Amino acid sequence: MREIDVKLITEKVRDLCMKANTDLGEDVLQAFDRAMEREESPLGIEILKELKENARIAKEESVPICQDTGFAVVFIDLGQEVHLAGGNLKEAIEEGVRQGFRDGYLRKSVCHPFTRVNTGDNTPAIIHTEVVPGDKIRVIVAPKGGGSENMSRVVMLTPSDGVEGIKRFVVQRVKESGSNPCPPTIVGVGIGGTFEQAALLAKKSLLRPLGSKNPVPELDRLESEILTEINRLGIGPQGLGGRTTSLAVHMLLMPCHIASFPLAVNIQCHVQRHKEAEI
Ligand code: SF4
């Protein structure tokens, strides 16, 4: 058994909240470059350049990439050989979020759904914990903006809808979203499981590096086909027209009930931010 003080988790979550919000991943910057080569709209190219420049300034000056610094979504892979000491895991994560949003001067974006009164410190966090083999802890912080989250959906298709049903729903979702999720987007798709598991699969699929292949050949093909259809819609960067409506479609799949066909689409804006650390 390896003993880990939960204070270490608080420190990591704090740092990751700030890093994720100011330092856009190299994979995203490279995806902007590839998009600029393909984009036909001069305005679209200009916007992609501006997005890169915005990311450069954010990193150099340690300021948020976007004013919406997001809901703190935290994934924890907890090694089953770890003994947590010094406190409670959930509280340690919440404290990390509190400190990260305070010390990084990040906007607090969490409120009561009825009164709309802000919780004041960007908590509670959304915490997904999985117990895994080993004696380490992997912490991923993925702040999620409201504009793109609002355009996300879960639907229970019928088994007879098949792969064509997936294509139709995903492309239609992106079309109806228009400029709302601040395109170019990354479209996370969760297929199978149950109602809630499909949504989690869609969110997790967004953690895959941009430009990487889906390890399942069938899904990899489907991702490319849907991306091609999406980029024919003409929505373009920031919704002002062009070929780059989405940078990628990412899919995760698991078996489902014989009577069901759950499908979730989690749309991610171009601020594709997530950072991770291992303890
Ligand atoms: S959707 Fe993304 S880019 Fe648009 S405001 Fe929200 S965080 Fe910012």
Side-chain angles (χ1 to χ4, degrees):
M1 233 6 161
R2 179 173 165 228
E3 189 164 293
I4 295 179
D5 194 309
V6 293
K7 279 198 193 73
L8 258 182
I9 298 173
T10 298
E11 278 169 29
K12 291 292 179 202
V13 170
R14 171 193 176 273
D15 294 349
L16 293 172
C17 284
M18 293 194 280
K19 200 163 181 223
N21 263 301
T22 54
D23 181 3
L24 201 57
E26 199 50 43
D27 59 330
V28 186
L29 299 176
Q30 286 172 8
F32 289 159
D33 287 338
R34 288 194 297 274
M36 272 186 254
E37 284 167 19
R38 286 190 311 262
E39 183 56 65
E40 295 163 9
S41 151
L43 182 56
I45 295 171
E46 210 42 52
I47 291 168
L48 289 163
K49 276 189 199 155
E50 291 294 331
L51 296 182
K52 256 196 101 174
E53 176 63 1
N54 178 61
R56 184 192 64 76
I57 295 169
K59 187 172 181 180
E60 282 181 14
E61 299 186 10
S62 290
V63 293
I65 305 157
C66 179
Q67 43 77 33
D68 181 353
T69 50
F71 212 132
V73 180
V74 181
F75 293 91
I76 301 281
D77 286 347
L78 179 63
Q80 62 185 18
E81 307 299 328
V82 171
H83 173 238
L84 292 170
N88 166 299
L89 174 64
K90 183 173 182 299
E91 184 41 43
I93 295 168
E94 303 278 22
E95 183 55 24
V97 170
R98 239 172 249 129
Q99 292 182 13
F101 276 70
R102 181 196 64 205
D103 299 348
Y105 301 100
L106 306 175
R107 192 187 78 183
K108 299 9 169 232
S109 308
V110 180
C111 69
H112 187 284
F114 294 169
T115 63
R116 311 309 292 182
V117 172
N118 200 297
T119 62
D121 57 8
N122 223 58
T123 68
I126 303 295
I127 305 169
H128 301 292
T129 308
E130 205 171 317
V131 177
V132 298
D135 64 355
K136 295 190 172 68
I137 304 175
R138 186 168 171 238
V139 183
I140 303 175
V141 174
K144 190 69 171 73
S148 56
E149 193 75 347
N150 287 349
M151 295 299 109
S152 305
R153 299 286 186 274
V154 177
V155 63
M156 302 304 278
L157 298 179
T158 62
S160 62
D161 284 320
V163 171
E164 284 309 311
I166 297 175
K167 283 190 194 171
R168 259 196 316 274
F169 187 81
V170 176
V171 175
Q172 188 61 20
R173 184 81 296 272
V174 175
K175 188 175 176 185
E176 285 171 11
S177 300
S179 63
N180 290 314
C182 302
T185 54
I186 297 96
V187 184
V189 181
I191 306 163
T194 51
F195 180 83
E196 82 283 9
Q197 185 64 33
L200 189 53
L201 288 174
K203 179 135 288 168
K204 276 188 173 172
S205 76
L206 296 171
L207 301 176
R208 200 177 103 210
L210 276 182
S212 64
K213 283 180 90 62
N214 192 312
V216 181
E218 188 186 13
L219 294 184
D220 195 59
R221 260 196 316 278
L222 195 52
E223 287 178 0
S224 302
E225 285 172 26
I226 294 179
L227 182 63
T228 303
E229 279 195 45
I230 287 173
N231 284 335
R232 279 194 193 122
L233 294 172
I235 296 168
Q238 295 297 296
L240 294 172
R243 294 282 157 219
T244 321
T245 300
S246 294
L247 297 168
V249 174
H250 283 184
M251 291 181 159
L252 277 174
L253 172 148
M254 71 180 292
C256 59
H257 189 281
I258 51 171
S260 304
F261 193 174
L263 174 68
V265 179
N266 194 196
I267 298 189
Q268 170 62 50
C269 62
H270 66 273
V271 186
Q272 161 67 327
R273 50 196 161 183
H274 51 89
K275 293 288 177 204
E276 64 177 86
E278 197 176 77
I279 302 173

